[in-house]
Amino acid sequence: MKTNKISIAFALASVVFTACQQKLPYDLQGTEHGVVIDIRKVQGASTTLSTDMNDGDYKVLLTIPEQQGDYSMLKEAQIMAIYTDGAKNKKSAKVVTGIKEFPYTATINIADACSKLGVSTIEIGDRIEFTPCVTLNSGTQVDGWSELGGFNNTIFTGWQLPNGPFSYRVAYTAFAPFNKDAFKGDAIPWSDGTNSDVCKVTQITELPQESSIPSGVTAADLVGLKVEGDIWFGGDTFTLWINTQDYTLIMPDQVICPDFTYGTYGTYDGMATQCEGEVDTLNNSLWFYFYSVWGPYSFGDGTITLQF
């Protein structure tokens, strides 16, 4: 037995040594490391966008979560604004620069931001999103959004932090009046330009877990929805809540289809995780980004829109 153990240990050491000498398909030493920055609205400040550029108190807080970036790599951070009009046309501009200390609270002048964006008026349905950008000491610029790639760091969505799930951007929308009764009954789910069977949506009085409710949001601010239909696995049932303070969605990780069987791959619970979204009060719809899993398997991620 002793001889066998020595032989096995030698074999393992040989494997480790060989693996260490093996050429990797990328330059490990040259890999660029960066910093992940969380951004969120400051409690008590404005949560939605006013059509009056001189109205509102817009404050955002930037923090670097623990163990998610080396401060020594960071030369400075900036805040980029992304404007989207009712026709989905987009413009972007950096509106705050030179951020070098964290946590950092930025007070944003919407009129000044609109000037940098080349926007003269704000109409119902328009939105302005803010996202962090970083400049590394190496000179590398990592923007939080680009026209071709969209938002950066979306993969961290749902990552739990002491002050709530990680947020890679905050959005301020000039909302139309909210009609609670419009968000129940039949809804058509859309994904990538195609729609599925009609979902049934009912309003519920139960609340999400306290850890899922943002600071400063009360039960009176929430409208609970139960959705039943065929979106991921067939026979799906899940719950979400509209936060009427800023019309974002609260959608905790949850089992949406228990005991789902897929051929010979096994029977597992189908889950939706890392979800976030927002309500469109102008068009009576809502959308949410999701990441779905089934046991050890991933069904991928994407965005679903429910049109009422």
Side-chain angles (χ1 to χ4, degrees):
M1 285 296 293
K2 184 176 181 180
T3 303
N4 288 343
K5 287 179 181 179
I6 293 174
S7 300
I8 292 172
F10 178 77
L12 288 174
S14 300
V15 170
V16 171
F17 178 79
T18 302
C20 290
Q21 300 301 310
Q22 183 178 359
K23 186 176 181 179
L24 296 173
Y26 52 87
D27 178 12
L28 182 61
Q29 295 300 318
T31 300
E32 189 86 72
H33 295 264
V35 178
V36 175
I37 299 178
D38 175 77
I39 184 171
R40 62 189 63 240
K41 298 174 183 177
V42 172
Q43 186 177 339
S46 297
T47 57
T48 60
L49 184 63
S50 172
T51 54
D52 181 352
M53 292 185 187
N54 297 309
D55 188 24
D57 176 26
Y58 303 92
K59 289 185 173 69
V60 296
L61 174 67
L62 273 64
T63 58
I64 297 180
E66 281 187 53
Q67 301 177 345
Q68 302 306 324
D70 184 346
Y71 280 82
S72 66
M73 300 176 187
L74 182 64
K75 181 177 181 180
E76 73 162 47
Q78 309 93 30
I79 298 175
M80 174 186 284
I82 304 95
Y83 166 81
T84 307
D85 65 17
K88 307 304 180 184
N89 297 309
K90 294 182 180 292
K91 298 180 180 181
S92 67
K94 291 187 175 71
V95 295
V96 181
T97 59
I99 303 170
K100 297 184 178 182
E101 295 183 356
F102 297 87
Y104 180 85
T105 299
T107 299
I108 297 175
N109 184 308
I110 290 295
D112 178 67
C114 286
S115 176
K116 289 182 170 69
L117 289 162
V119 174
S120 57
T121 60
I122 296 175
E123 307 291 341
I124 295 294
D126 292 355
R127 66 193 275 121
I128 300 178
E129 296 164 283
F130 297 99
T131 189
C133 306
V134 297
T135 303
L136 302 178
N137 286 325
S138 63
T140 299
Q141 178 66 34
V142 183
D143 286 338
W145 180 88
S146 67
E147 188 174 356
L148 292 178
F151 283 101
N152 195 6
N153 289 331
T154 57
I155 192 64
F156 295 104
T157 300
W159 180 25
Q160 292 299 316
L161 302 175
N163 56 344
F166 171 80
S167 175
Y168 60 87
R169 63 105 175 105
V170 294
Y172 296 88
T173 301
F175 289 102
F178 176 63
N179 179 9
K180 176 181 175 180
D181 291 335
F183 292 87
K184 62 182 179 181
D186 291 342
I188 300 174
W190 288 82
S191 177
D192 298 326
T194 59
N195 66 298
S196 304
D197 293 337
V198 173
C199 290
K200 178 184 176 183
V201 181
T202 53
Q203 294 187 357
I204 58 176
T205 57
E206 64 187 84
L207 298 174
Q209 291 183 346
E210 188 174 348
S211 60
S212 299
I213 302 176
S215 299
V217 176
T218 68
D221 297 320
L222 301 178
V223 177
L225 304 179
K226 179 180 180 181
V227 182
E228 299 171 279
D230 185 359
I231 294 181
W232 292 283
F233 305 94
D236 306 326
T237 300
F238 59 97
T239 54
L240 53 87
W241 286 263
I242 299 173
N243 173 8
T244 59
Q245 281 197 8
D246 60 2
Y247 302 107
T248 54
L249 295 180
I250 298 171
M251 190 174 175
D253 296 356
Q254 59 192 283
V255 174
I256 62 173
C257 186
D259 301 325
F260 176 73
T261 301
Y262 186 63
T264 59
Y265 291 97
T267 299
Y268 303 94
D269 288 341
M271 291 189 65
T273 68
Q274 302 183 40
C275 295
E276 67 155 10
E278 190 172 277
V279 177
D280 182 344
T281 59
L282 185 62
N283 297 299
N284 291 336
S285 65
L286 57 84
W287 65 266
F288 54 90
Y289 167 84
F290 71 95
Y291 182 82
S292 63
V293 295
W294 166 64
Y297 308 101
S298 168
F299 273 19
D301 62 346
T303 299
I304 296 289
T305 298
L306 294 182
Q307 180 65 61
F308 290 86

